[in-house]
Amino acid sequence: MQRRMLSKEDEAAVGNDELEVRREDQDKINKFSRLHQRETLLEEELKSRAKEKEDLEEISNELELTDEDDKIPYKLGDAFVMLPLPDVQELLAQGTSKIEESVSATEGKLRSIREEMESLKVDLYARFGKSINLET
């Protein structure tokens, strides 16, 4: 986080316009903070899901090079089970589709959080102007 000194003009403006923080303002600030934390967690989750999907697609591509008759070790829980190639490919396709569904649901949550954050930003900047920094 970068800190900077206020210019003389900004310092004078803050001193003259200092507003009292009302309870509803503090609630909005707290809500913005909670939403920002959730946004960060969801972004990390999306990165993780994207990596999982990429790994499954890479495995699927590698399996295309194997013989149909080969048994492939597939991890179920903590154990590996030897399964025929078509079964493994089907399981990988199901895993990929589950990840895609999860990603789209997470993106929807992220969109709604960002919309709510923008609304709070508008309200708080209208009330406090330069006196508050909500840039994330």
Side-chain angles (χ1 to χ4, degrees):
M1 185 166 98
Q2 183 180 7
R3 295 181 187 251
R4 65 178 179 85
M5 298 285 293
L6 289 176
S7 67
K8 292 287 184 192
E9 299 83 31
D10 288 342
E11 194 173 323
V14 169
N16 296 338
D17 303 351
E18 204 163 308
L19 295 173
E20 181 179 330
V21 178
R22 300 178 305 216
R23 174 70 180 176
E24 63 190 50
D25 298 330
Q26 188 61 50
D27 290 343
K28 286 180 181 180
I29 293 168
N30 292 344
K31 186 173 187 177
F32 183 88
S33 177
R34 285 191 305 273
L35 289 172
H36 178 59
Q37 289 173 348
R38 277 199 4 231
E39 177 191 35
T40 303
L41 291 174
L42 289 176
E43 286 172 346
E44 289 174 10
E45 184 179 326
L46 277 177
K47 287 179 187 175
S48 168
R49 295 285 185 207
K51 176 76 171 118
E52 286 178 38
K53 182 180 176 188
E54 182 181 315
D55 290 346
L56 288 179
E57 289 172 348
E58 187 176 318
I59 292 168
S60 293
N61 291 337
E62 289 292 324
L63 287 177
E64 290 177 5
L65 302 174
T66 61
D67 286 335
E68 286 280 327
D69 300 333
D70 287 348
K71 298 277 186 182
I72 309 296
Y74 186 81
K75 186 175 181 180
L76 291 174
D78 291 334
F80 284 90
V81 180
M82 300 300 283
L83 297 173
L85 179 62
D87 291 349
V88 171
Q89 288 174 327
E90 183 179 325
L91 288 170
L92 289 174
Q94 289 174 359
T96 302
S97 67
K98 283 181 184 177
I99 289 174
E100 288 171 351
E101 290 172 8
S102 172
V103 164
S104 72
T106 303
E107 286 173 342
K109 289 177 189 175
L110 200 53
R111 248 188 321 278
S112 69
I113 285 173
R114 287 181 175 152
E115 288 171 3
E116 194 170 352
M117 286 174 67
E118 280 302 313
S119 171
L120 289 169
K121 270 186 185 181
V122 168
D123 292 346
L124 290 168
Y125 277 131
R127 172 105 168 102
F128 295 105
K130 288 185 177 181
S131 300
I132 190 167
N133 181 12
L134 300 173
E135 298 307 313
T136 56

